[in-house]
Amino acid sequence: MPGVAPLRKPGRALALGACAFAALLAAPPVQALTPDRPIGQFTHVWYENQLPQGTVLGIAQHADGTIWLSTYAGLARHSGQGFDTFEPRNAPVLQSSAITAVASDGDQGLWVGTLNGGLYHRRGNQLRQVALPQGADSVFGIVTDAGGALWVTTNLGVVRIADGDARLLGDAEGFPPRGFYRAIVADPAGGVWIAADGVGVVHWAGDGSGARLYDAHDGLPSNAVYSLTMDASGTAWVGTQNGPAYFRDGRFHRERRIAALDQSRIYTLYGDREGTVWFAPLGAGLCRLTAADFFCDDSLEGLHGETVRSMLEDREGNLWIGTTSSGVHRLSQSKLVTITAPMASNAVRAVHPAADGTLWIGTDGGGLARYREPYLEPAEAYNRQLPSQLVRAILGDAAGQLWVGGTEGVIRFDRAGRARHFSIGHGLPGTIVFAFAPARAGGMWVGTLQGVARIDGGQVHVAEPTRGDDVRSLYEDPDGRLWIGLRSGLRCLQGGRLDDCGVGGLSGSVFAFHPGEDGSLWLGTGNGIVHVRRGVATRYAEDAGFHGDAVFALLDDGDGNFWFSSNRGIGRIARSDLAALDRGHARKVAPQWFGTADGMLNAQGNGASQTPAGRTADGRMWFGTAKGLVLVDPGRMQGNPQPPPVTVERLLVDGVEVDPEGAPRLAPGVERLELHYAAMSYVAPTAVRYRYRLEGFDRGWNEAGNMRRAHYTNLPPGDYVFRVVASNNDGVWNMEGASLHFTLLPRWHQTWWVRGLALLALAGLVVLGVRLRLRAARIRERELTREVALRTEALREANERLRRIAASDALTGIPNRGEFNRRLREAWNDHANRDAPLAVLLVDVDDFKAYNDSYGHLGGDTALVAVANRLADMVGPGEGLVARYGGEEFAVLLRDCDAEAALDRAQRMVAGIRACAMPHRASSVGDAVTVSIGAASVRPADGASPDDLLRSADAALYRAKADGRDRALPAGEVPPIVLPF
């Protein structure tokens, strides 16, 4: 008998919030993956070990936005962070863990097919089995036709379910008596196409005429048919043992542009919303047919040699790809494209678009490379002539020669690619070359670590020797004045005289020059952009959003914007915004920053030389970064207009899972509530942002960043509504969001009737108080004495409150260093008397200065509070205390704790902070905030001192940080103090 059971992972409930999904679908449509962008330039994310099993047979997107995957080890659910698995142990109604098919029902449900376990339907949190004809216990494909009927391919054949009636179709309906049915797809006209492996393709027209079989006589490349899809025009495509074909005018036809696939097995093909058809031929990687071209790519990590079993385009335009053994992959549109190559180094230090259209790239260890759409290729013939593969600058001249600067001087390549080397032996003032600029007098200006020279023909003329500073950039203006950007500022050279350029010089590094059309000069410096105009230098620092950000390269997109690279990523700022600052029409402006969430593999731009970026004639801009060449195409920076669906996924009450559906009524005495929520946006999940509030408690919205949970403790009884809203990676908010209504029931003494009795009792006390006061008037002296005692007690209580305030850290609310030292002394004496072990942990947040530099001090404060709360949660009442010891350092006091237990507690704290997954893009350890911990334990009775214990923990902490951070290490033995007799 079909059963009904809740679909719930232990400790996990799934609840759709109050967002109106239909309203979200009315948002501006998202395009599919850009047809003319090479496949390898899409953002590629690979999920393998997170899945219960590596074979992904089917992919579906639920109406709430979640992604569902069918695997041989269970049904996996993904909402942007990790995967939840449902199988017979946590969903007992399932009779098989081998999930072979999954499909959305188009409403709020999901169809699930299994191997030897039948068909199931999920709605809300409930999963029920759906009756199939006797013996049909394995499901291979599921689809709903235009009329609402459900079609299922099974081990017995094709089953059609309409109005609750499941009917096995056979000879009477025109289905062939043999054939193993697998893939199935519905067409817009109401028909259904079904792959019958070894027989051909069956088409059910939907007009009452029954089914018709198409085979090799009707143009099929092979009767062995593995896959089916409908393209955006409603045309059916099939994948066979001998390649793909499409159906038109009653027959199947081959597409001549994809003749290369004619003898390939096509296990999967998929038509996206823009008309592109994707193919996964066995052994050829991923192929794509667009209106303009056909292209295959076998370079995606994890897909080489794989068999693709399923594909899905989600509502944001991401393409999900399920494989036989390597899990699921996702291709996403990104605003920026990062291009790498199989070279010794992908750290790009120099970029030069040459006049002949060649885009030259210089790397830090991989020599020279050229970009040939869509690949970056090493320039082997040039690299063999380089004295060093460490390139710092590239520039072409009017004669077609290519100048390359590196760590071993200058190499000049003629038009035939022959090299000539200039070094110190030829008169060059320094070996490391950072900058080039064409010289109006002929030749090329060269900026080195030890001065400026001009190379003309075969001669080297030293123009300005070293003054203890290195040259980072050069520019010769129309008046023949050479502007020199130094590590320590700005200088100008004209007529053999060096001066401060008439602007008093500039402090800090000058990395880039960009001449303006009005004769002014824009500079990229170590502290933002500087504009030099008519002898006046205008700095755009904090007022323009440059909070100490270095600008390594400065490009004009021709549309009124400056683009620049820095260690925060790539930025864009409108020149009109800078003009508004100049005119006083604006006090603050800010650039738009692009980073890893927008397609960069590493947000660090490579600077310190003059040519780390360039703009080609087609308007595209190219930036060198620490990990690859980043392409910016302003005309094709596709945004994401879809507000993300939001759900409240879990409700935990004092650590116990509660089903969030149905406005739960929570028992009295709740101490801690934890709510988990999610927004289903997959273009860049780490860039999703959340706000939440608890109506009835919070006065306003809480900014949660990308944290997906909220905590509340000791809430008073009452009715509450928890609301959460979210934005996608482009800042498009779903302001309706999700909501959860719940009631916190009162204890007996918090009920209305108890309060009424209390009021009556209070009234009685008032009457009694009046009588007592009359009596007190007669014994005035005794009352005065009592009043003095009361005032003394109040003063004592006030002093106690002040002491508690003085003992707390103002930022985190946990004890401060003074309170920790006091408690340590008390615990020391107590443990010495009892001969018990006492432990101290010293905790330091890794790379916290870099965190402050990247996120700002407000972000740093937020991170410290989060770390403090997590540490405090891990030390129970009576075990000890957690205190802020100073800056980003915390101290933990553990009572009755020996060295082994102290190290175990420290390691769990390291794992607990890592599990918080607070993003730390500037960390040298990983992508999240981590801590290092030193642990020490002694028996005070042995004679050591509290300072000895602290020093031991501090030494262990120092070793933990020196060994790579994100770890806990024990202290060495604390030597006892031998007292003289």
Side-chain angles (χ1 to χ4, degrees):
M1 291 289 292
V4 178
L7 178 59
R8 184 181 303 162
K9 186 177 179 180
R12 186 164 188 92
L14 305 175
L16 179 65
C19 62
F21 191 72
L24 296 182
L25 292 179
V30 176
Q31 298 176 3
L33 298 178
T34 304
D36 57 356
R37 177 183 287 189
I39 294 173
Q41 292 184 5
F42 294 115
T43 296
H44 173 219
V45 180
W46 176 16
Y47 304 97
E48 181 180 24
N49 297 325
Q50 301 96 317
L51 297 180
Q53 196 264 343
T55 304
V56 178
L57 299 173
I59 312 173
Q61 184 168 32
H62 188 270
D64 66 4
T66 51
I67 298 294
W68 294 78
L69 311 173
S70 55
T71 79
Y72 282 127
L75 180 66
R77 174 188 182 273
H78 180 57
S79 61
Q81 187 180 76
F83 292 81
D84 302 312
T85 302
F86 303 96
E87 39 86 25
R89 286 177 295 181
N90 55 47
V93 69
L94 282 173
Q95 297 180 18
S96 171
S97 61
I99 312 299
T100 50
V102 61
S104 171
D105 68 1
D107 186 12
Q108 290 291 328
L110 204 69
W111 296 101
V112 181
T114 69
L115 186 67
N116 301 322
L119 176 68
Y120 299 84
H121 185 251
R122 173 192 179 271
R123 190 171 184 86
N125 288 334
Q126 300 298 316
L127 184 70
R128 67 178 180 87
Q129 191 171 18
V130 178
L132 292 174
Q134 183 68 31
D137 53 10
S138 292
V139 175
F140 304 109
I142 306 170
V143 73
T144 302
D145 67 22
L150 184 71
W151 294 73
V152 183
T153 54
T154 74
N155 57 302
L156 292 185
V158 179
V159 175
R160 182 176 184 268
I161 304 176
D163 299 324
D165 178 36
R167 187 160 60 97
L168 183 65
L169 305 179
D171 293 346
E173 291 80 17
F175 282 80
R178 61 189 178 87
F180 190 67
Y181 298 101
R182 288 189 179 274
I184 184 168
V185 65
D187 63 34
V192 175
W193 296 82
I194 309 158
D197 190 12
V199 178
V201 177
V202 176
H203 181 226
W204 176 278
D207 57 4
S209 60
R212 175 180 171 181
L213 174 67
Y214 294 89
D215 58 17
H217 296 94
D218 302 295
L220 271 180
S222 167
N223 287 344
V225 181
Y226 304 124
S227 52
L228 287 164
T229 193
M230 302 296 297
D231 68 17
S233 68
T235 298
W237 286 78
V238 298
T240 77
Q241 181 171 295
N242 293 329
Y246 66 92
F247 185 80
R248 182 176 297 165
D249 300 328
R251 290 183 57 83
F252 281 92
H253 306 269
R254 289 186 181 273
E255 166 59 61
R256 57 181 176 78
R257 291 182 296 161
I258 56 175
L261 302 182
D262 282 352
Q263 301 305 314
S264 300
R265 293 186 179 184
I266 310 296
Y267 283 117
T268 302
L269 70 171
Y270 187 83
D272 69 23
R273 67 188 64 160
E274 293 294 325
T276 297
V277 181
W278 298 81
F279 305 93
L282 189 63
L286 189 63
C287 299
R288 178 184 64 185
L289 176 67
T290 70
D293 64 6
F294 172 71
F295 181 78
C296 293
D297 191 318
D298 196 23
S299 66
L300 296 178
E301 184 181 7
L303 279 177
H304 178 73
E306 261 290 359
T307 302
V308 174
R309 303 297 297 272
S310 54
M311 291 188 192
L312 174 78
E313 181 186 39
D314 68 22
R315 58 185 294 271
E316 291 181 305
N318 305 294
L319 185 67
W320 298 80
I321 304 168
T323 68
T324 295
S325 59
S326 68
V328 68
H329 300 249
R330 188 188 82 235
L331 296 182
S332 299
Q333 190 80 27
S334 58
K335 294 184 179 64
L336 312 182
V337 175
T338 299
I339 302 165
T340 59
M343 300 188 299
S345 172
N346 274 289
V348 177
R349 299 296 295 265
V351 178
H352 174 59
D356 63 0
T358 303
L359 183 64
W360 290 94
I361 309 299
T363 69
D364 200 6
L368 291 170
R370 284 175 289 207
Y371 180 72
R372 301 184 187 275
E373 194 93 35
Y375 300 113
L376 196 60
E377 300 175 348
E380 301 291 356
Y382 286 79
N383 290 337
R384 285 192 291 269
Q385 301 179 70
L386 292 177
S388 167
Q389 302 298 301
L390 301 172
V391 177
R392 292 293 179 267
I394 309 173
L395 194 65
D397 62 19
Q401 300 178 113
L402 187 71
W403 298 72
V404 179
T407 57
E408 300 297 330
V410 173
I411 301 87
R412 186 180 65 199
F413 292 96
D414 63 17
R415 298 175 68 91
R418 294 184 296 266
R420 177 167 181 178
H421 185 206
F422 298 90
S423 64
I424 290 180
H426 301 88
L428 207 64
T431 56
I432 302 179
V433 175
F434 294 112
F436 291 121
R440 295 181 182 277
M444 185 71 69
W445 292 108
V446 180
T448 77
L449 185 67
Q450 295 163 318
V452 179
R454 184 172 62 89
I455 301 177
D456 190 4
Q459 299 297 313
V460 177
H461 309 279
V462 176
E464 175 61 25
T466 181
R467 294 177 181 267
D469 203 351
D470 47 286
V471 177
R472 298 293 176 173
S473 54
L474 294 170
Y475 167 69
E476 186 175 1
D477 67 21
D479 297 328
R481 180 166 54 172
L482 182 65
W483 297 68
I484 305 172
L486 301 167
R487 178 168 48 84
S488 63
L490 177 68
R491 295 292 183 271
C492 282
L493 181 67
Q494 188 170 30
R497 187 173 63 87
L498 191 70
D499 60 28
D500 62 6
C501 303
V503 295
L506 290 174
S507 60
S509 300
V510 177
F511 298 114
F513 293 107
H514 182 84
E517 295 177 356
D518 58 357
S520 63
L521 192 62
W522 297 86
L523 282 61
T525 76
N527 189 24
I529 294 174
V530 173
H531 191 195
V532 178
R533 179 173 43 190
R534 294 187 291 274
V536 177
T538 303
R539 293 179 177 271
Y540 301 100
E542 284 77 8
D543 289 347
F546 296 104
H547 299 278
D549 298 307
V551 171
F552 298 134
L554 194 59
L555 302 178
D556 192 326
D557 64 5
D559 198 28
N561 302 296
F562 276 134
W563 291 78
F564 50 89
S565 60
S566 77
N567 284 326
R568 286 182 62 186
I570 292 173
R572 176 180 65 190
I573 191 165
R575 295 179 64 168
S576 59
D577 285 348
L578 300 179
L581 287 176
D582 290 339
R583 295 192 299 267
H585 294 170
R587 297 182 60 187
K588 297 282 186 180
V589 297
Q592 181 179 2
W593 291 98
F594 301 90
T596 54
D598 302 294
M600 298 180 71
L601 297 181
N602 188 305
Q604 178 183 327
N606 272 334
S609 58
Q610 187 170 358
T611 58
R615 179 171 181 247
T616 48
D618 57 10
R620 294 188 292 178
M621 290 172 285
W622 309 79
F623 291 87
T625 73
K627 191 177 289 186
L629 175 69
V630 173
L631 165 61
V632 177
D633 190 347
R636 297 183 180 178
M637 296 184 68
Q638 178 177 313
N640 182 2
Q642 293 281 349
V646 186
T647 66
V648 178
E649 296 189 303
R650 301 179 68 191
L651 172 62
L652 282 78
V653 180
D654 290 334
V656 178
E657 190 86 22
V658 173
D659 191 343
E661 291 192 343
R665 294 168 61 85
L666 308 181
V670 172
E671 294 183 358
R672 181 180 177 88
L673 286 178
E674 184 173 325
L675 300 109
H676 295 213
Y677 45 82
M680 273 56 73
S681 178
Y682 305 104
V683 175
T686 59
V688 173
R689 293 293 179 264
Y690 298 93
R691 297 174 186 155
Y692 68 83
R693 66 180 299 183
L694 184 61
E695 293 180 359
F697 182 78
D698 289 327
R699 293 184 177 182
W701 290 95
N702 297 293
E703 298 287 345
N706 65 352
M707 299 295 291
R708 296 172 30 133
R709 63 185 63 183
H711 304 270
Y712 292 93
T713 57
N714 298 316
L715 290 172
D719 295 323
Y720 295 95
V721 180
F722 176 76
R723 299 192 185 278
V724 57
V725 299
S727 73
N728 65 14
N729 60 300
D730 271 343
V732 178
W733 286 86
N734 173 3
M735 292 306 297
E736 182 154 357
S739 63
L740 172 63
H741 298 248
F742 64 90
T743 299
L744 208 57
L745 298 175
R747 296 179 185 270
W748 67 269
H749 57 79
Q750 296 172 316
T751 58
W752 67 267
W753 58 270
V754 171
R755 292 179 178 178
L757 289 176
L759 288 174
L760 290 175
L762 180 60
L765 289 174
V766 170
V767 173
L768 180 60
V770 171
R771 297 183 64 183
L772 290 175
R773 185 170 182 179
L774 293 173
R775 181 183 178 189
R778 295 190 295 268
I779 49 174
R780 182 74 172 174
E781 183 175 346
R782 289 174 58 189
E783 181 59 27
L784 288 174
T785 302
R786 180 171 176 270
E787 184 71 18
V788 170
L790 289 174
R791 290 180 180 272
T792 302
E793 179 63 16
L795 181 60
R796 187 193 66 77
E797 291 178 356
N799 287 334
E800 178 63 22
R801 285 196 298 272
L802 288 174
R803 190 198 68 77
R804 287 197 297 270
I805 293 172
S808 298
D809 177 59
L811 174 64
T812 63
I814 63 175
N816 57 24
R817 183 168 183 166
E819 178 66 6
F820 176 83
N821 291 335
R822 186 184 72 80
R823 296 281 290 276
L824 174 60
R825 291 193 297 270
E826 288 181 353
W828 188 272
N829 295 332
D830 173 64
H831 285 64
N833 292 335
R834 296 189 289 108
D835 190 21
L838 180 65
V840 164
L841 312 180
L842 288 183
V843 184
D844 188 82
V845 180
D846 296 327
D847 291 325
F848 188 70
K849 181 180 183 301
Y851 190 100
N852 263 343
D853 291 343
S854 180
Y855 292 86
H857 290 290
L858 290 179
D861 289 347
T862 301
L864 288 177
V865 171
V867 171
N869 289 340
R870 182 59 180 145
L871 293 175
D873 286 345
M874 299 181 73
V875 177
E879 290 184 305
L881 86 157
V882 176
R884 188 178 180 192
Y885 206 61
E888 67 270 21
E889 194 172 20
F890 300 86
V892 182
L893 180 65
L894 298 174
R895 302 176 61 84
D896 301 298
C897 184
D898 59 21
E900 181 178 355
L903 180 58
D904 178 71
R905 179 66 61 93
Q907 290 172 339
R908 283 189 281 131
M909 287 181 171
V910 169
I913 297 302
R914 190 189 308 120
C916 290
M918 292 181 286
H920 190 345
R921 57 179 171 239
S923 173
S924 63
V925 180
D927 296 327
V929 170
T930 58
V931 297
S932 301
I933 301 180
S937 175
V938 299
R939 287 183 175 272
D942 291 344
S945 71
D947 289 340
D948 295 326
L949 178 57
L950 288 170
R951 280 193 293 270
S952 296
D954 187 66
L957 171 60
Y958 181 84
R959 287 191 294 108
K961 295 182 76 65
D963 286 356
R965 300 184 172 90
D966 190 23
R967 67 195 62 210
L969 292 180
E973 182 178 354
V974 179
I977 297 177
V978 179
L979 300 176
F981 291 93

